[in-house]
Amino acid sequence: MSTTQNFAPAYLAKRMQLIKPSASMMAKKKVDTLRSEGKQVIDFTLGEPDLNTPAHIAQAGMDAIRNGYTKYTATSGIKELLLAIQAKYRRENQLDFNLDQLVVGTGAKQLIFSALSVTLDKDDEVIIPAPYWVSYPDMVLLNDGKPVILETSGDNGFKITAESLEAAITDRTKWLLLNSPNNPSGSLYTETELGDILDVLERHPQVLLMIDEIYEHFSYEQDYVSPLAVDPAIRDRTLLINGVSKAYAMTGWRIGYAAGPSFLIKAIATLISQTTSCASEISQKAAAAALSGDQSCVRDTTALYRTRRDTMVDLLGKVPGVTCPRPAGAFYVFPDIQGLIGKTTPQGKTLGNDLDVVHYFLDAAGVAVLDGTAYGVPGYIRLSFATDLETIKAGCEKLSEACSQLK
């Protein structure tokens, strides 16, 4: 063994001991490995549209390459895209932002991380409702902050209340980080619920609000409402995070954008200038075409996903031991599988928790799902319905058969 291997852990920063790999990325790696070994796996794990990027958007990217738009850009983004983002907020959210209040990043994930990087000092607290996207707590930890996990209940759709938020705020609280529609639960805050939350924040002017709106267009039961449309008074300390990955099936193009007060946007842009410099000019051109072009592709995708959602919920609802609420948004279901915990597999193993259930489904049914523990809520699993109906039907049938074999 080489000297480098012996001392490898010592070379790493201590902060790396605090974080873990993304659960969804690890699941994808495992599925890919099983498939490379010739095994058939139905994959409900990855939060990625199964559709191709719409043709007019892809064409804009190809045109950008042909026309030589392959250079560095301004750190905050090309003006064409910033204008398209500005128009998007006016058209869809009735919100006005100056161009210096907008910034483009290499995915929404980079912008969330950057916002935390430019604001958190050691042990500053970030309130994160559970269930949460798996990356939120680790991004806080990587920036020397302290994630404060705010528990919610499935009884009220996994939403925080004004009372629970008030109780969680301390003099160290720097951010409330919301995700609506939520990954993994699909919960979507109403205008009234947002109003109650914003009333609490108005009493605590030291607390910033970051809201991840990446699933904004996948709202099935009600129109999405942005918090700034509910209470403009909190505008000077609210950061909106969004991107083109989900709505336009552009995950690989890696374009996100943020809107917020100019002091925060400037700080984020400064950090980007010293890290990734700028987002791909090719991708920015395609994103501008997405935001400013025909939006029927988004409406069509939302209608398609509504059908897929209803199919998956109806099928899982027939499985003994599984309770599957109908999500209001995003493209995941988050069923309660506590009725399966404590049961015994045909091989004699007792399912002690949601992780055991996930492994059983993969081994016995060849169906990959994610555990609720990774999202801060044990006893649940997450399944993506961003896949075709035949796959949904086949996968749910396999899960039903695997559950029927439990004793």
Side-chain angles (χ1 to χ4, degrees):
M1 185 178 293
S2 70
T3 302
T4 300
Q5 288 176 311
N6 285 332
F7 285 92
Y11 294 134
L12 298 178
K14 290 183 175 62
R15 71 175 68 91
M16 292 305 298
Q17 300 172 18
L18 302 175
I19 66 169
K20 54 192 178 301
S22 163
S24 53
M25 291 296 101
M26 290 298 289
K28 182 182 187 304
K29 182 178 179 181
K30 185 168 185 178
V31 168
D32 289 345
T33 299
L34 290 171
R35 285 174 172 169
S36 70
E37 295 170 352
K39 298 178 181 177
Q40 298 295 315
V41 180
I42 292 177
D43 187 7
F44 289 143
T45 66
L46 205 56
E48 180 173 48
D50 62 314
L51 309 173
N52 291 328
T53 301
H56 70 285
I57 301 172
Q59 186 63 52
M62 291 186 280
D63 290 345
I65 296 171
R66 269 192 294 269
N67 294 327
Y69 292 108
T70 56
K71 310 294 184 182
Y72 291 130
T73 75
T75 295
S76 294
I78 61 173
K79 188 172 183 179
E80 180 184 357
L81 178 52
L82 293 173
L83 288 171
I85 295 167
Q86 183 184 59
K88 178 266 179 216
Y89 278 115
R90 287 174 178 164
R91 179 181 70 244
E92 297 182 354
N93 309 103
Q94 294 74 56
L95 298 174
D96 279 307
F97 291 99
N98 298 325
L99 294 190
D100 67 352
Q101 295 175 310
L102 304 171
V103 63
V104 174
T106 308
K109 195 171 190 175
Q110 181 193 26
L111 295 169
I112 297 169
F113 187 92
S114 298
L116 297 171
S117 293
V118 302
T119 56
L120 292 183
D121 290 315
K122 185 172 176 55
D123 294 330
D124 279 348
E125 296 174 355
V126 178
I127 297 174
I128 303 173
Y132 46 72
W133 181 40
V134 294
S135 294
Y136 293 151
D138 285 335
M139 287 195 281
V140 173
L141 291 169
L142 274 170
N143 287 291
D144 294 328
K146 178 182 177 183
V148 176
I149 306 304
L150 186 54
E151 293 186 1
T152 62
S153 169
D155 294 338
N156 73 332
F158 292 112
K159 301 177 188 179
I160 64 172
T161 63
E163 293 75 19
S164 64
L165 175 60
E166 184 78 58
I169 294 175
T170 73
D171 58 2
R172 295 294 301 180
T173 304
K174 180 63 69 75
W175 286 99
L176 166 63
L177 176 45
L178 281 183
N179 175 209
S180 177
N182 177 262
N183 171 15
S185 71
S187 63
L188 176 61
Y189 287 89
T190 66
E191 184 172 343
T192 300
E193 291 165 341
L194 283 174
D196 292 341
I197 291 169
L198 297 176
D199 285 345
V200 174
L201 294 182
E202 284 197 31
R203 295 195 291 272
H204 298 276
Q206 85 279 11
V207 181
L208 298 159
L209 170 64
M210 190 187 319
I211 181 156
D212 182 349
E213 302 179 314
I214 195 70
Y215 296 99
E216 168 190 8
H217 292 96
F218 300 116
S219 302
Y220 307 112
E221 310 300 336
Q222 64 193 60
D223 291 336
Y224 176 77
V225 180
S226 182
L228 289 187
V230 177
D231 185 3
I234 201 169
R235 183 186 179 107
D236 62 351
R237 51 193 171 105
T238 297
L239 183 68
L240 307 182
I241 301 288
N242 213 321
V244 296
S245 291
K246 313 295 185 180
Y248 302 94
M250 294 178 68
T251 51
W253 296 80
R254 306 311 305 130
I255 293 292
Y257 55 88
S262 54
F263 79 89
L264 185 53
I265 296 298
K266 181 179 179 181
I268 291 171
T270 299
L271 181 61
I272 291 174
S273 76
Q274 296 289 8
T275 50
T276 54
S277 296
C278 61
S280 159
E281 187 173 24
I282 302 162
S283 296
Q284 290 190 63
K285 284 284 188 177
L291 291 173
S292 60
D294 182 5
Q295 300 299 299
S296 62
C297 58
V298 178
R299 294 190 292 272
D300 291 346
T301 301
T302 302
L304 176 66
Y305 282 7
R306 180 183 288 108
T307 299
R308 293 175 173 183
R309 175 201 67 165
D310 292 343
T311 299
M312 182 174 272
V313 168
D314 291 346
L315 290 173
L316 290 177
K318 299 174 183 176
V319 179
V322 176
T323 303
C324 189
R326 199 173 304 272
F331 45 66
Y332 312 101
V333 295
F334 197 55
D336 182 337
I337 48 88
Q338 294 176 76
L340 302 178
I341 295 172
K343 293 193 174 183
T344 304
T345 71
Q347 293 75 32
K349 176 178 172 55
T350 300
L351 301 177
N353 52 43
D354 54 312
L355 286 163
D356 289 342
V357 173
V358 167
H359 291 307
Y360 174 66
F361 284 163
L362 186 58
D363 294 338
V367 177
V369 302
L370 287 168
D371 57 279
T373 296
Y375 298 89
V377 184
Y380 290 74
I381 57 173
R382 191 196 81 166
L383 299 85
S384 169
F385 52 82
T387 189
D388 63 274
L389 277 175
E390 291 308 309
T391 299
I392 289 172
K393 292 175 182 177
C396 290
E397 183 178 346
K398 287 178 177 292
L399 292 178
S400 179
E401 175 61 25
C403 290
S404 71
Q405 296 178 20
L406 296 172
K407 299 179 180 179

